Amino acid sequence: MKEPILEVKNLKKYFPIVQGFLKKHVGDVKAVDGLSFNIRNGETLGLVGESGCGKTTASRSIIRLLEPTSGDVFFHMKDQVVNIPELDQKELWSTRRYLQLIFQDPYASLDARMTIKEIISEPLICFQVGSKKERQERVAELLELVGLKAAYMSRYPHAFSGGQRQRIGIARALALNPEVVIADEPVSALDVSVQAQILNLMQDLQERLGLTYLFISHDLGVVQYFCNRVAVMYAGKLVEMTETETLFHNTKHPYVEALLSAILRPDPHYKLKRMVLKGEVVDSSKKPEGCAFHPRCQYAKDICSQKIPQFKNISDKETPHWVACHFSQELDLNGVNMKLG
């Protein structure tokens, strides 16, 4: 098993709620509430959950686009280990070149007033990498790497489709030869056929360049295809994390069972039996006592409303299986291969 390249420990990001003329602090929106996981060198970890669970906030807190409230993020960078939340601005700046981000919206993430050459070469200019000629050569190399022609570098973003724009965003993220790339729902705004092209490109780049991905998504079909391991979030916390195959076929958390029931099967003989969760998504500023999922859980018992379940490894095998559920070892839940109809 490979060594971790990124270790997140008890990461929290709270947004204060203030009221009145004096802006009195009356509470917090606990968007990320004690997140802990690691990513091994060269793997793809999928971070999934429904909208509003804290996935994007977590990713931006990891790289300090948002300042975390507390917690540690240990980045095994080159020959040293740094704790990102403790870095000063100069140290953070030098670390950023090895930890890059691919944004969700390929239309909003590219400046319409800049040419493709200016967009991709901007990181090189910021870090004073190479001469003007060398930067132009690097832009041409990156465009070819992501499947675009070098002749396109003088064009503006409006001349490209959504899939081509996302390729440009990927090229920009790779400009400084990063070790870890955080992909924040990089294909959710694209057509299904284009999604497959971008995912295949990202897999090819991972093999060629030795990249490590944190892949954020709400599409479990994409995650099953693309990720080595999956971590599932609910209300700012992880509820289950294990190898992709194990999670999809032997899930141990009721929330994940409900998510898996929504996956469409490419089989006309299957009759979809969707598990519809009752109630509303939990308000991160007013979380219920005990397990945050218990008001919507069909398996909930008294202890679920009284005690927060521990996020623990329930596997006796070499591959860990982390679950936060009081009854994870008692429930017999349905995975993607359940019999329907």
Side-chain angles (χ1 to χ4, degrees):
M1 188 175 294
K2 295 183 179 179
E3 293 295 319
I5 190 171
L6 194 70
E7 297 178 88
V8 179
K9 296 186 177 181
N10 200 29
L11 184 69
K12 297 181 180 180
K13 177 58 183 177
Y14 295 173
F15 295 95
I17 301 172
V18 296
Q19 288 182 352
F21 179 74
L22 297 177
K23 298 189 181 298
K24 182 180 178 181
H25 182 216
V26 296
D28 294 286
V29 175
K30 299 178 180 180
V32 179
D33 193 15
L35 207 63
S36 296
F37 62 86
N38 64 67
I39 308 176
R40 299 191 288 264
N41 193 14
E43 79 162 346
T44 300
L45 175 69
L47 186 60
V48 305
E50 58 193 331
S51 298
C53 72
K55 305 184 299 297
T56 295
T57 302
S59 69
R60 298 193 175 202
S61 299
I62 287 171
I63 61 177
R64 275 180 65 183
L65 286 181
L66 293 173
E67 287 291 338
T69 302
S70 64
D72 299 305
V73 181
F74 295 104
F75 181 29
H76 296 249
M77 179 184 67
K78 298 296 183 182
D79 298 324
Q80 60 178 323
V81 180
V82 298
N83 188 5
I84 293 176
E86 294 182 352
L87 299 178
D88 60 32
Q89 288 301 315
K90 184 177 180 181
E91 292 169 332
L92 179 62
W93 178 256
S94 62
T95 302
R96 283 266 174 81
R97 67 180 300 169
Y98 304 109
L99 190 62
Q100 290 292 312
L101 179 66
I102 300 172
F103 294 93
Q104 177 178 356
D105 190 346
Y107 293 89
S109 61
L110 303 180
D111 193 329
R113 298 168 297 179
M114 298 173 68
T115 64
I116 303 310
K117 175 185 172 183
E118 292 170 333
I119 289 171
I120 298 177
S121 63
E122 187 174 25
L124 302 172
I125 295 171
C126 290
F127 283 88
Q128 300 179 346
V129 176
S131 63
K132 185 175 181 180
K133 180 180 179 182
E134 288 171 335
R135 289 195 291 267
Q136 181 168 330
E137 291 173 351
R138 177 61 174 160
V139 171
E141 176 188 348
L142 288 164
L143 286 172
E144 296 287 350
L145 189 64
V146 299
L148 297 175
K149 296 180 180 179
Y152 293 167
M153 69 172 66
S154 60
R155 298 184 182 182
Y156 288 85
H158 69 81
F160 298 90
S161 67
Q164 289 174 321
R165 291 185 189 209
Q166 197 60 291
R167 289 174 186 268
I168 294 166
I170 293 171
R172 177 177 59 186
L174 298 179
L176 295 168
N177 294 314
E179 297 182 19
V180 176
V181 175
I182 297 176
D184 185 7
E185 302 201 40
V187 297
S188 63
L190 306 176
D191 294 337
V192 174
S193 60
V194 180
Q195 286 184 14
Q197 296 173 17
I198 297 299
L199 291 173
N200 289 334
L201 170 65
M202 291 179 66
Q203 281 189 330
D204 180 57
L205 292 172
Q206 184 176 36
E207 294 174 3
R208 293 172 64 178
L209 304 177
L211 299 172
T212 301
Y213 290 134
L214 174 59
F215 187 83
I216 298 168
S217 179
H218 61 264
D219 188 334
L220 285 168
V222 170
V223 168
Q224 185 180 18
Y225 167 76
F226 191 70
C227 299
N228 305 111
R229 287 190 300 143
V230 183
V232 183
M233 283 186 73
Y234 184 79
K237 292 179 177 288
L238 290 185
V239 296
E240 188 166 8
M241 178 172 66
T242 187
E243 302 292 321
T244 302
E245 196 69 17
T246 303
L247 183 122
F248 276 76
H249 300 296
N250 190 30
T251 180
K252 292 297 182 181
H253 197 283
Y255 174 61
V256 181
E257 180 189 37
L259 294 181
L260 294 177
S261 76
I263 298 178
L264 296 175
R265 279 72 165 183
D267 188 335
H269 300 293
Y270 270 132
K271 294 181 180 179
L272 185 63
K273 188 177 179 181
R274 175 81 181 274
M275 287 181 60
V276 180
L277 294 175
K278 61 183 179 181
E280 301 292 333
V281 179
V282 66
D283 184 345
S284 294
S285 65
K286 299 176 183 178
K287 293 184 181 180
E289 294 293 326
C291 174
F293 184 63
H294 88 263
R296 309 174 72 191
C297 181
Q298 62 178 315
Y299 307 107
K301 298 182 181 180
D302 290 343
I303 191 175
C304 300
S305 61
Q306 301 166 1
K307 185 178 179 181
I308 298 175
Q310 183 182 359
F311 190 57
K312 61 183 180 181
N313 179 20
I314 63 170
S315 174
D316 56 1
K317 301 177 182 178
E318 182 181 355
T319 303
H321 189 162
W322 297 86
V323 187
C325 178
H326 292 299
F327 305 104
S328 59
Q329 293 175 297
E330 301 174 20
L331 295 175
D332 183 18
L333 304 179
N334 292 312
V336 295
N337 285 337
M338 64 181 179
K339 294 181 180 179
L340 306 175

